[in-house]
Amino acid sequence: MRRILLPLLAALFGSAGIASAATDCRSALTGRWATKGDVAMGPMKVKVDNLDAYNADGSFRAVRRFVNQEGKWEEQVTSGQWTTKPGAGAGECVLEMSSKSEFGNSSSSTTVTVVDRNTFRSFGVDAKRVR
């Protein structure tokens, strides 16, 4: 019985070793990113044109441009601190941002999927690295 269990355990722990080689989220997301397209916001799709900068020092700046309900482009600029950690799935990262402004404090947590070195996906839209 022991001879049968050892190979099974080795296979099981070997697989766990591969899964534990999680994405280096910090390195993958540090940089400047542009997102253009239609984002699902509940039952509606909203046209966006965003530019995000996730800096190595943990700061971020996000410029959110979107078409509002009147059909006009609107812009919101946010800055603050960001952190990230591996998510549950392959290539997933949990991106956490916090900011302070005259309107108060805010924080968000979003799971993104790293597609490749120059692309990550969030809310069904790809963000592309800006050089």
Side-chain angles (χ1 to χ4, degrees), residues 15-87:
S15 298
I18 291 169
S20 68
T23 301
D24 180 357
C25 295
R26 185 126 182 116
S27 293
L29 296 177
T30 298
R32 294 180 52 211
W33 300 91
T35 307
K36 294 181 182 186
D38 294 327
V39 175
M41 301 290 272
M44 297 176 30
K45 288 209 174 211
V46 176
K47 183 174 288 305
V48 299
D49 183 2
N50 300 332
L51 183 60
D52 299 325
Y54 302 111
N55 302 309
D57 68 359
S59 65
F60 80 90
R61 182 172 192 270
V63 178
R64 304 280 187 237
R65 294 187 67 237
F66 57 94
V67 176
N68 64 23
Q69 291 179 340
E70 290 84 36
K72 296 179 182 177
W73 282 97
E74 191 171 320
E75 181 175 290
Q76 295 175 344
V77 179
T78 309
S79 60
Q81 297 297 308
W82 74 284
T83 60
T84 188
K85 60 186 176 189

